[in-house]
Amino acid sequence: MPNPDNIASPILVGGAGRSGTTWVLKVLGLHPDVQKVHENSLAYTVYREICASWWAQEFCREQCDGDPQRREGVAMEAMREALCGVFPSSRARWVMKVIWGVESTWGVPLRVWAEAFPSARYIHCVRNPLDTLASMMAYLGKFSNMQSLAAAEQSYLRGHRDMLELAKLGFPCLRLRL
């Protein structure tokens, strides 16, 4: 997994970085019926290429009869197909980590996740901000712009804001305090 039979129903683990998302992903991936999909930018990249790249408008005109909603549908289908192709499995369920504030960081609107994966279940990992921010600056500061407290705070807020918004919209979301 994912495979064409279960692509629409993943378990998506989210929250801010350093909030326990990797641990939850690993634990769920231990179950023999669950395929763990490593954190990746494949779905984000496919969506952005089709809907927000330099050639997206031309693609919309030529391939989608000028209909942006049709183009977005093509993008969502391409997201699902890419995940099935790169992470094939016959397991009954699949789980993937989605962090950092999906819309604010990766450029994919939250509604796209909900529409691309309509039967998804969400796990929102929450960790004490005092612990999380220090960990973000120490660990993630090596790889990103999170060397400052202000940058870490913004990332923390974005990650949790998006998960709270999904719950507010009525999607099944389990909040897990670590």
Side-chain angles (χ1 to χ4, degrees), residues 6-173:
N6 67 15
I7 187 64
S9 59
I11 300 167
L12 298 175
V13 179
R18 310 301 294 164
S19 290
T21 54
T22 300
W23 180 79
V24 169
L25 182 73
K26 286 179 183 177
V27 169
L28 291 173
L30 292 173
H31 192 284
D33 290 338
V34 176
Q35 169 69 31
K36 176 179 72 171
V37 174
H38 297 282
E39 182 179 0
N40 66 81
S41 61
L42 183 62
Y44 314 125
T45 302
V46 168
Y47 178 85
R48 280 194 322 263
E49 276 299 308
I50 294 172
C51 292
S53 67
W54 63 272
W55 59 274
Q57 292 304 321
E58 189 67 25
F59 176 81
C60 185
R61 273 192 302 279
E62 291 183 7
Q63 303 296 319
C64 303
D65 298 324
D67 182 355
Q69 287 182 322
R70 186 169 169 199
R71 177 186 58 198
E72 198 162 83
V74 168
M76 287 186 268
E77 183 61 30
M79 289 167 64
R80 292 187 291 263
E81 287 179 12
L83 289 168
C84 286
V86 174
F87 303 103
S89 173
S90 60
R91 294 184 188 177
R93 301 211 45 88
W94 66 285
V95 60
M96 184 171 76
K97 183 169 125 176
V98 181
I99 63 167
W100 301 116
V102 174
E103 185 168 1
S104 52
T105 302
W106 295 102
V108 178
L110 289 173
R111 64 173 176 67
V112 169
W113 284 99
E115 291 173 25
F117 306 104
S119 300
R121 295 183 178 127
Y122 299 88
I123 298 176
H124 177 188
C125 297
V126 180
R127 184 175 164 207
N128 182 319
L130 297 176
D131 298 326
T132 304
L133 294 174
S135 180
M136 289 170 96
M137 290 169 49
Y139 180 74
L140 299 174
K142 299 176 208 173
F143 310 106
S144 67
N145 67 345
M146 279 188 254
Q147 292 91 6
S148 73
L149 180 58
E153 287 172 338
Q154 288 304 309
S155 180
Y156 181 87
L157 292 172
R158 282 192 310 264
H160 291 303
R161 182 203 67 217
D162 286 352
M163 292 304 295
L164 291 169
E165 185 64 25
L166 284 168
K168 183 179 166 186
L169 291 171
F171 295 100
C173 189

